[in-house]
Amino acid sequence: ETGVTQSPTHLIKTRGQQVTLRCSSQSGHNTVSWYQQALGQGPQFIFQYYREEENGRGNFPPRFSGLQFPNYSSELNVNALELDDSALYLCASSRRDPREFEQYFGPGTRLTVT
Amino acid sequence: SQQGEEDPQALSIQEGENATMNCSYKTSINNLQWYRQNSGRGLVHLILIRSNEREKHSGRLRVTLDTSKKSSSLLITASRAADTASYFCATALYGNNRLAFGKGNQVVVIP
Protein backbone atom coordinates (compact mmCIF):
# COMPACT_ATOMS: atom_id res chain seq x y z
CA GLU A 1 0.00 0.00 0.00
CA THR A 2 1.39 3.38 -1.02
CA GLY A 3 -0.98 5.56 0.97
CA VAL A 4 -2.30 7.13 -2.23
CA THR A 5 -5.99 6.62 -2.80
CA GLN A 6 -8.14 7.26 -5.85
CA SER A 7 -11.87 7.38 -6.41
CA PRO A 8 -13.90 6.04 -7.98
CA THR A 9 -12.38 2.68 -8.87
CA HIS A 10 -14.40 2.28 -12.05
CA LEU A 11 -16.52 4.67 -14.05
CA ILE A 12 -18.59 4.43 -17.20
CA LYS A 13 -19.46 7.60 -19.07
CA THR A 14 -21.00 8.51 -22.39
CA ARG A 15 -19.19 10.40 -25.11
CA GLY A 16 -19.57 14.14 -24.62
CA GLN A 17 -20.03 13.94 -20.86
CA GLN A 18 -17.71 15.33 -18.22
CA VAL A 19 -15.90 13.39 -15.49
CA THR A 20 -14.05 14.20 -12.28
CA LEU A 21 -11.52 11.82 -10.78
CA ARG A 22 -10.08 12.25 -7.30
CA CYS A 23 -6.76 11.50 -5.66
CA SER A 24 -5.52 11.75 -2.09
CA SER A 25 -1.78 12.09 -1.71
CA GLN A 26 0.47 10.25 0.66
CA SER A 27 1.08 12.15 3.86
CA GLY A 28 3.96 14.61 3.54
CA HIS A 29 3.82 14.75 -0.25
CA ASN A 30 3.12 18.13 -1.85
CA THR A 31 3.28 17.19 -5.52
CA VAL A 32 0.71 15.24 -7.49
CA SER A 33 1.08 13.95 -11.04
CA TRP A 34 -1.60 12.45 -13.23
CA TYR A 35 -1.03 9.81 -15.89
CA GLN A 36 -3.22 8.19 -18.50
CA GLN A 37 -2.60 4.55 -19.35
CA ALA A 38 -4.32 3.11 -22.38
CA LEU A 39 -4.70 -0.64 -22.60
CA GLY A 40 -1.40 -2.32 -23.37
CA GLN A 41 0.58 0.92 -23.15
CA GLY A 42 2.77 2.64 -20.62
CA PRO A 43 1.41 5.56 -18.61
CA GLN A 44 1.50 8.96 -20.31
CA PHE A 45 2.11 12.11 -18.26
CA ILE A 46 -0.91 14.44 -18.24
CA PHE A 47 0.16 17.16 -15.79
CA GLN A 48 1.61 17.82 -12.38
CA TYR A 49 0.48 20.05 -9.53
CA TYR A 50 2.62 21.62 -6.86
CA ARG A 51 1.21 23.89 -4.16
CA GLU A 52 -2.10 24.17 -5.98
CA GLU A 53 -0.59 25.31 -9.28
CA GLU A 54 -0.01 23.39 -12.47
CA ASN A 55 3.68 22.61 -12.76
CA GLY A 56 4.18 21.04 -16.14
CA ARG A 57 1.86 19.50 -18.68
CA GLY A 58 2.13 16.69 -21.17
CA ASN A 59 0.66 16.49 -24.65
CA PHE A 60 -2.99 16.58 -23.64
CA PRO A 61 -5.69 19.03 -24.82
CA PRO A 62 -7.14 21.76 -22.57
CA ARG A 63 -10.26 19.71 -21.91
CA PHE A 64 -8.04 17.85 -19.45
CA SER A 65 -7.75 20.07 -16.40
CA GLY A 66 -6.96 19.66 -12.77
CA LEU A 67 -6.94 21.10 -9.29
CA GLN A 68 -4.85 20.64 -6.22
CA PHE A 69 -6.26 21.54 -2.83
CA PRO A 70 -4.52 22.94 0.29
CA ASN A 71 -4.35 19.43 1.75
CA TYR A 72 -2.55 18.39 -1.46
CA SER A 73 -5.36 16.16 -2.67
CA SER A 74 -6.16 16.57 -6.34
CA GLU A 75 -8.81 16.27 -9.02
CA LEU A 76 -8.59 15.48 -12.70
CA ASN A 77 -11.43 16.81 -14.84
CA VAL A 78 -12.07 15.76 -18.38
CA ASN A 79 -14.67 17.60 -20.47
CA ALA A 80 -16.33 16.51 -23.70
CA LEU A 81 -15.31 12.90 -23.27
CA GLU A 82 -14.17 11.00 -26.34
CA LEU A 83 -13.99 7.26 -26.86
CA ASP A 84 -10.18 7.43 -26.82
CA ASP A 85 -10.30 8.78 -23.28
CA SER A 86 -11.11 5.25 -22.12
CA ALA A 87 -8.09 4.31 -20.02
CA LEU A 88 -6.72 3.75 -16.55
CA TYR A 89 -6.01 7.10 -14.87
CA LEU A 90 -3.26 7.03 -12.31
CA CYS A 91 -2.22 9.66 -9.86
CA ALA A 92 1.13 9.70 -8.15
CA SER A 93 2.32 11.74 -5.23
CA SER A 94 5.85 12.75 -4.37
CA ARG A 95 7.92 15.31 -2.53
CA ARG A 96 9.14 18.30 -4.49
CA ASP A 97 12.76 17.67 -3.75
CA PRO A 98 15.19 17.21 -6.61
CA ARG A 99 16.93 14.51 -4.61
CA GLU A 100 13.78 12.52 -4.09
CA PHE A 101 12.21 11.29 -7.28
CA GLU A 102 10.29 8.24 -6.22
CA GLN A 103 6.63 8.58 -7.02
CA TYR A 104 3.93 6.70 -5.16
CA PHE A 105 1.04 5.61 -7.33
CA GLY A 106 -2.56 5.08 -6.44
CA PRO A 107 -4.53 2.05 -7.68
CA GLY A 108 -6.05 4.02 -10.53
CA THR A 109 -9.50 4.79 -11.86
CA ARG A 110 -10.68 2.76 -14.84
CA LEU A 111 -12.70 5.05 -17.11
CA THR A 112 -14.79 3.60 -19.91
CA VAL A 113 -16.35 5.96 -22.44
CA THR A 114 -19.16 4.53 -24.57
CA SER B 1 9.24 14.08 -24.55
CA GLN B 2 11.59 11.13 -24.28
CA GLN B 3 10.38 7.67 -23.51
CA GLY B 4 11.91 4.46 -22.37
CA GLU B 5 11.57 1.59 -24.77
CA GLU B 6 11.69 -1.85 -23.27
CA ASP B 7 12.91 -4.94 -25.03
CA PRO B 8 11.61 -7.66 -25.13
CA GLN B 9 7.92 -6.89 -24.85
CA ALA B 10 6.86 -10.27 -23.47
CA LEU B 11 8.79 -12.89 -21.57
CA SER B 12 7.73 -16.31 -20.34
CA ILE B 13 10.04 -18.19 -17.99
CA GLN B 14 10.01 -21.07 -15.54
CA GLU B 15 10.00 -20.41 -11.84
CA GLY B 16 13.56 -20.20 -10.56
CA GLU B 17 14.99 -18.84 -13.80
CA ASN B 18 16.31 -15.31 -14.22
CA ALA B 19 14.44 -12.68 -16.21
CA THR B 20 16.20 -9.82 -17.95
CA MET B 21 14.55 -6.77 -19.48
CA ASN B 22 16.16 -3.89 -21.30
CA CYS B 23 15.21 -0.27 -21.70
CA SER B 24 16.62 2.46 -23.92
CA TYR B 25 16.03 6.18 -23.86
CA LYS B 26 16.88 9.13 -26.05
CA THR B 27 18.17 12.11 -24.07
CA SER B 28 20.14 12.86 -20.93
CA ILE B 29 18.36 11.91 -17.76
CA ASN B 30 18.59 12.57 -14.04
CA ASN B 31 17.50 9.10 -13.06
CA LEU B 32 15.81 5.98 -14.36
CA GLN B 33 13.22 4.03 -12.44
CA TRP B 34 11.64 0.62 -12.79
CA TYR B 35 8.04 -0.06 -11.81
CA ARG B 36 5.89 -3.18 -11.63
CA GLN B 37 2.21 -3.36 -12.42
CA ASN B 38 -0.07 -6.28 -11.65
CA SER B 39 -3.14 -6.83 -13.82
CA GLY B 40 -3.74 -3.20 -14.82
CA ARG B 41 -3.61 -1.92 -11.27
CA GLY B 42 -1.41 0.76 -9.71
CA LEU B 43 2.30 0.92 -10.30
CA VAL B 44 4.73 -0.19 -7.62
CA HIS B 45 8.14 1.43 -7.49
CA LEU B 46 10.93 -1.15 -7.61
CA ILE B 47 14.21 0.66 -7.88
CA LEU B 48 15.72 4.00 -8.87
CA ILE B 49 19.16 4.43 -10.35
CA ARG B 50 20.70 7.86 -10.74
CA SER B 51 22.64 8.98 -13.76
CA ASN B 52 25.95 8.82 -11.88
CA GLU B 53 25.36 5.22 -10.81
CA ARG B 54 26.16 2.16 -12.90
CA GLU B 55 24.60 -0.67 -10.95
CA LYS B 56 22.17 -1.07 -8.12
CA HIS B 57 20.75 -4.01 -6.22
CA SER B 58 17.58 -4.46 -4.23
CA GLY B 59 16.82 -7.97 -3.03
CA ARG B 60 16.49 -10.16 -6.13
CA LEU B 61 16.60 -7.14 -8.43
CA ARG B 62 19.67 -5.86 -10.18
CA VAL B 63 19.59 -2.76 -12.34
CA THR B 64 22.35 -1.46 -14.56
CA LEU B 65 22.59 1.86 -16.30
CA ASP B 66 24.83 2.71 -19.24
CA THR B 67 24.49 6.41 -19.93
CA SER B 68 26.85 6.24 -22.91
CA LYS B 69 24.46 3.80 -24.60
CA LYS B 70 21.39 5.37 -23.02
CA SER B 71 20.19 2.00 -21.84
CA SER B 72 19.29 0.14 -18.68
CA SER B 73 18.59 -3.44 -17.78
CA LEU B 74 16.54 -5.02 -15.02
CA LEU B 75 17.44 -8.51 -13.86
CA ILE B 76 15.14 -10.51 -11.62
CA THR B 77 16.96 -13.50 -10.19
CA ALA B 78 15.34 -16.75 -9.04
CA SER B 79 11.95 -15.70 -10.35
CA ARG B 80 8.74 -16.62 -8.55
CA ALA B 81 5.17 -16.98 -9.78
CA ALA B 82 4.39 -13.78 -7.85
CA ASP B 83 6.80 -11.90 -10.15
CA THR B 84 4.27 -12.30 -12.96
CA ALA B 85 3.47 -8.70 -13.91
CA SER B 86 4.21 -5.92 -16.36
CA TYR B 87 7.47 -4.08 -15.81
CA PHE B 88 8.02 -0.49 -16.92
CA CYS B 89 11.07 1.67 -17.05
CA ALA B 90 10.59 5.40 -16.62
CA THR B 91 13.02 8.24 -17.04
CA ALA B 92 13.12 11.56 -15.22
CA LEU B 93 14.79 14.64 -16.64
CA TYR B 94 16.84 17.12 -14.68
CA GLY B 95 14.77 19.76 -12.97
CA ASN B 96 11.46 17.96 -12.81
CA ASN B 97 10.04 14.73 -11.56
CA ARG B 98 7.61 13.95 -14.31
CA LEU B 99 8.18 10.44 -15.61
CA ALA B 100 8.33 9.24 -19.20
CA PHE B 101 7.37 5.57 -19.35
CA GLY B 102 8.13 2.89 -21.89
CA LYS B 103 5.54 0.46 -23.21
CA GLY B 104 6.35 -2.20 -20.68
CA ASN B 105 7.48 -5.80 -20.51
CA GLN B 106 4.95 -8.49 -19.68
CA VAL B 107 6.63 -11.22 -17.67
CA VAL B 108 4.94 -14.54 -16.98
CA VAL B 109 6.59 -16.88 -14.50
CA ILE B 110 5.34 -20.43 -14.85
CA PRO B 111 5.23 -22.38 -11.58
Side-chain angles (χ1 to χ4, degrees):
Chain A
E1 294 292 328
T2 63
V4 179
T5 61
Q6 291 186 244
S7 62
T9 304
H10 295 87
L11 201 54
I12 300 174
K13 288 286 189 178
T14 304
R15 190 172 48 185
Q17 287 187 317
Q18 177 267 341
V19 68
T20 297
L21 310 181
R22 295 178 175 82
C23 172
S24 292
S25 304
Q26 179 164 315
S27 177
H29 287 181
N30 54 18
T31 301
V32 174
S33 302
W34 285 91
Y35 296 83
Q36 180 197 65
Q37 186 179 21
L39 198 61
Q41 301 295 314
Q44 298 293 312
F45 175 77
I46 303 175
F47 43 56
Q48 183 181 94
Y49 277 82
Y50 169 67
R51 289 189 176 179
E52 303 176 54
E53 292 194 1
E54 189 177 290
N55 179 46
R57 188 179 185 93
N59 189 26
F60 281 82
R63 59 190 185 83
F64 285 77
S65 63
L67 285 172
Q68 187 182 30
F69 301 100
N71 65 356
Y72 303 130
S73 65
S74 178
E75 286 183 355
L76 165 65
N77 299 289
V78 187
N79 295 321
L81 283 167
E82 300 177 359
L83 297 179
D84 285 348
D85 295 335
S86 294
L88 181 68
Y89 288 85
L90 298 160
C91 78
S93 73
S94 59
R95 294 189 185 93
R96 185 174 172 80
D97 181 336
R99 297 164 298 177
E100 299 289 339
F101 283 91
E102 180 175 340
Q103 297 196 18
Y104 295 81
F105 282 81
T109 294
R110 175 76 61 189
L111 172 65
T112 302
V113 182
T114 62
Chain B
S1 61
Q2 65 179 332
Q3 279 195 322
E5 295 279 346
E6 290 94 344
D7 174 55
Q9 295 289 306
L11 186 63
S12 183
I13 57 174
Q14 294 289 329
E15 199 167 31
E17 293 181 337
N18 296 341
T20 300
M21 289 155 270
N22 298 306
C23 168
S24 61
Y25 56 92
K26 296 174 182 171
T27 63
S28 295
I29 60 172
N30 186 335
N31 66 77
L32 186 144
Q33 305 175 35
W34 285 89
Y35 286 82
R36 184 186 72 221
Q37 185 177 41
N38 292 86
S39 301
R41 299 172 66 184
L43 293 156
V44 175
H45 182 268
L46 295 176
I47 196 165
L48 180 153
I49 187 165
R50 300 183 188 277
S51 59
N52 62 351
E53 297 175 312
R54 291 297 168 258
E55 187 172 313
K56 204 163 184 178
H57 296 256
S58 176
R60 294 183 297 111
L61 305 178
R62 172 178 170 258
V63 169
T64 63
L65 180 65
D66 187 335
T67 53
S68 66
K69 295 182 179 178
K70 293 186 170 59
S71 67
S72 173
S73 68
L74 170 67
L75 168 68
I76 305 173
T77 60
S79 63
R80 305 167 181 169
D83 295 329
T84 294
S86 292
Y87 292 82
F88 295 90
C89 74
T91 53
L93 302 180
Y94 288 96
N96 69 70
N97 61 351
R98 69 174 72 177
L99 297 175
F101 284 86
K103 295 180 181 178
N105 268 282
Q106 188 169 0
V107 175
V108 175
V109 181
I110 303 167

